[in-house]
Amino acid sequence: MLLCPVIGKLLHKRVVLASASPRRQEILSNAGLRFEVVPSKFKEKLDKASFATPYGYAMETAKQKALEVANRMHQTVGGLILEKPVDKQDAYRMLSRLSGREHSVFTGVAIVHCSSKDHQLDTTVSEFYEETKVKFSELSEELLWEYVHSGEPMDKAGGYGIQALGGMLVESIHGDFLNVVGFPLNHFCKQLVKLYYPPRPEDLRRSVKHDSIPAADTFEDLSDVEGGGSEPAQRDASSRDEKAEAGEAGQAAAEAECHRTRETLPPFPTRLLELIEGFMLSKALFTACKLKVFDLLKDEAPQKAVDIASKVDASACGTERLLDICAAMGLLEKTEQGYSNTETANVYLASDGEYSLHGFIMHNNDLTWNLFTYLEFAIREGTNQHHRALGKKVEDLFQDVYYQSPETRLRFMRAMHGMTKLTACQVATAFNLSHFSSACDVGGCTGALARELAREYPRMQVTVFDLPDIIELAAHFQPPGPQAGQIHFAAGDFFRDPLPSAELYVLCRILHDWPDDKVHKLLSRVADSCKPGAGLLLVETLLVETLLDEEKRVAQRTLMQSLNMLVQTEGKKRSLGEYQCLLEVHGFHQVQVVHLGGVLDAILATKVAP
């Protein structure tokens, strides 16, 4: 292991990463380093025109970031690669320039070695850069915008994340992959060896490469005092054999010490700690939304924490801490002028945005959060936990929980509206539905999907069918527009009342709420309303049938949704095979499936004559 001889020395030092990049933290943690994170306050506004090369700019920026933290903290490691897009248009322009071309990714790294003499900070800077050449495929405008709208480019320097979705854009790479991710680990390790394990004259005489792993027999000679070294030993020329034996013994001892260190220092559990503390981040986001912080900062100039605190009726110290963690999560920008929204916050977290998730977040804060405190009971009992959360027996899940008051009903509708808006366009275009002249969105809530169907298919008339209490409020979610004449609202209970006549029935995230007997009942009612050739469009999160799925993040979200169903509903997630069996029992065949991205899948089936 390249860092093995050095880690022992670093254990007794304060190692600081002067960057908030989670990718750099992960890379260094996986290398076995233990460090703290202190993001630099240095403003990355150096004049690029004054640098002869891109790597010169990168190295100087990294050095200034590291020195800024060193003056505060006394020891730093830091780095910078490329700049992040300021908005979606900037991301698109950046990626368009890269399309079909090879570009270089430069990372400048500055290592600041600190010591204190007479209460004065003394620093020694070692800096280097790494270049990796990346070639993009020829990318269509549609693909570029799809990637931009995924949100991934917005927090990625260079406008793409090669370790995530952005990897699909890359045709080839020449050089260090981790350098493109965010940190040149191999070069960094070699640089640490040079700093903490410089070659001795006798090593050079043996033609040992400068950046190779040093011989372990010299490791014991390293002084723990910064800038120090071992004193020259007084040895007689006649004792060369003894020296050789001592050298071999010293090497063996050093290797044993190194192995002991490795045994007692398992890889730092960064990912595990993120999971353990993840609920804190969620609650911080929920609280910021509840206080309307993102509404307050939308399209406004940066504001100071004390001013924001007075407007949300909260303490200045508490507000500042909340704002800081929101900035660390990439939801806010923090500058000398104050705090401001990121593009993500403006689009998704402000409550009045077209694609706002504010309602969904409040639903999770007010309902889901409390239910998950009873997760242990749900697992032991195999049933939802509304009775414990409410302190009373629940007869009707929706009437007693989601619709128990106008406030809870509106909260639920806002949550469903926000989530449906995110994927409505993908659902409407997953299949060619132009041959259907009418559709019924069963349990369509606010009509968000109905509006997208009407927009995509101008000949289609769409009926939103839901409970009377929902239909009463649904019209408030419908903005004016040419699609208004295509959309109709009908009140009723889809388990009891006749369904409106249609050529296409849509069940969007409905079946997963119910157990098998009620699913069969609902599908039977839909089948009875269909003529041969009619269609049934299901939108659900299909349960993965194996954990060997390549997209493990998707699998994780899907399985978490399955756990959520246990805690909240009477239903469950089902696999594609289970849905095919359910559909065939009720006369629906010719099943087609399209994965919509995220965790949703669309299933289209056709009613055939008995």
Side-chain angles (χ1 to χ4, degrees), residues 399-419:
Q399 292 293 353
D400 293 349
V401 179
Y402 301 118
Y403 308 155
Q404 62 176 309
S405 69
E407 291 77 18
T408 57
R409 184 164 66 248
L410 193 59
R411 180 189 67 195
F412 177 78
M413 293 178 69
R414 286 172 176 157
M416 296 303 101
H417 185 75
M419 289 300 291

Side-chain angles (χ1 to χ4, degrees), residues 584-600:
E584 289 174 1
V585 166
H586 296 282
F588 291 97
H589 297 271
Q590 302 172 21
V591 176
Q592 305 173 59
V593 182
V594 171
H595 181 62
L596 301 178
V599 296
L600 288 180

Side-chain angles (χ1 to χ4, degrees), residues 92-383:
Y92 176 78
R93 287 192 296 268
M94 185 181 297
L95 292 168
S96 296
R97 289 195 295 268
L98 299 178
S99 177
R101 301 173 60 187
E102 183 179 80
H103 62 279
S104 290
V105 177
F106 290 100
T107 303
V109 178
I111 303 174
V112 179
H113 185 96
C114 301
S115 59
S116 181
K117 185 176 182 181
D118 298 328
H119 304 291
Q120 296 295 318
L121 176 64
D122 183 29
T123 61
T124 302
V125 179
S126 173
E127 54 188 326
F128 66 88
Y129 75 92
E130 183 74 19
E131 177 184 7
T132 304
K133 294 184 180 296
V134 180
K135 184 178 181 182
F136 270 29
S137 298
E138 292 285 351
L139 306 173
S140 66
E141 181 179 353
E142 292 76 15
L143 178 59
L144 286 176
W145 276 116
E146 183 177 351
Y147 180 57
V148 169
H149 288 315
S150 74
E152 185 176 280
M154 306 315 298
D155 69 337
K156 300 292 188 300
Y160 67 95
I162 195 171
Q163 75 280 14
L165 293 175
M168 296 186 295
L169 314 178
V170 175
E171 183 175 297
S172 62
I173 177 173
H174 182 72
D176 187 348
F177 173 81
L178 289 180
N179 183 48
V180 186
V181 175
F183 194 79
L185 181 62
N186 183 269
H187 198 157
F188 173 71
C189 292
K190 292 175 180 177
Q191 196 71 17
L192 282 184
V193 170
K194 289 180 182 179
L195 292 174
Y196 290 99
Y197 209 154
R200 300 177 306 176
E202 53 265 42
D203 295 328
L204 295 175
R205 288 194 295 271
R206 295 170 191 160
S207 299
V208 177
K209 291 183 179 180
H210 188 60
D211 62 350
S212 64
I213 303 174
D217 62 313
T218 62
F219 186 61
E220 293 301 318
D221 290 339
L222 276 175
S223 170
D224 285 326
V225 180
E226 301 307 332
S230 60
E231 295 182 3
Q234 301 297 321
R235 296 173 178 171
D236 190 277
S238 63
S239 59
R240 289 178 182 175
D241 291 340
E242 295 178 9
K243 286 194 293 181
E245 279 186 26
E248 292 172 3
Q251 179 174 347
E255 289 177 350
E257 179 182 346
C258 179
H259 287 303
R260 284 197 300 272
T261 301
R262 292 170 62 183
E263 291 171 1
T264 57
L265 283 176
F268 193 75
T270 302
R271 175 60 177 157
L272 182 59
L273 291 176
E274 288 174 353
L275 293 173
I276 293 171
E277 299 174 351
F279 76 97
M280 301 181 192
L281 296 178
S282 297
K283 193 61 176 178
L285 169 60
F286 295 170
T287 302
C289 283
K290 191 165 188 176
L291 293 175
K292 296 290 187 75
V293 167
F294 305 108
D295 289 55
L296 182 64
L297 295 175
K298 184 178 182 181
D299 302 324
E300 296 288 339
Q303 299 183 41
K304 297 292 186 181
V306 64
D307 298 322
I308 297 172
S310 65
K311 294 174 182 177
V312 300
D313 192 24
S315 69
C317 65
T319 301
E320 184 172 19
R321 295 185 188 190
L322 179 63
L323 296 173
D324 282 343
I325 190 60
C326 287
M329 288 191 287
L331 307 177
L332 295 177
E333 294 284 352
K334 183 180 180 182
T335 64
E336 290 181 355
Q337 289 72 39
Y339 299 87
S340 58
N341 276 356
T342 60
E343 181 69 13
T344 296
N346 280 333
V347 173
Y348 298 112
L349 301 180
S351 63
D352 60 350
E354 181 181 2
Y355 297 98
S356 173
L357 292 175
H358 185 273
F360 180 66
I361 291 170
M362 287 299 92
H363 176 79
N364 278 279
N365 182 71
D366 298 339
L367 181 67
T368 309
W369 180 274
N370 293 331
L371 287 172
F372 262 78
T373 63
Y374 301 105
L375 178 59
E376 179 185 347
F377 292 100
I379 291 171
R380 292 183 183 279
E381 299 166 3
T383 185

Side-chain angles (χ1 to χ4, degrees), residues 511-532:
L511 298 184
H512 66 201
D513 286 334
W514 305 103
D516 288 346
D517 59 334
K518 290 191 176 181
V519 169
H520 279 293
K521 183 177 181 180
L522 179 53
L523 289 178
S524 176
R525 304 191 85 247
V526 172
D528 291 343
S529 302
C530 287
K531 296 178 181 179

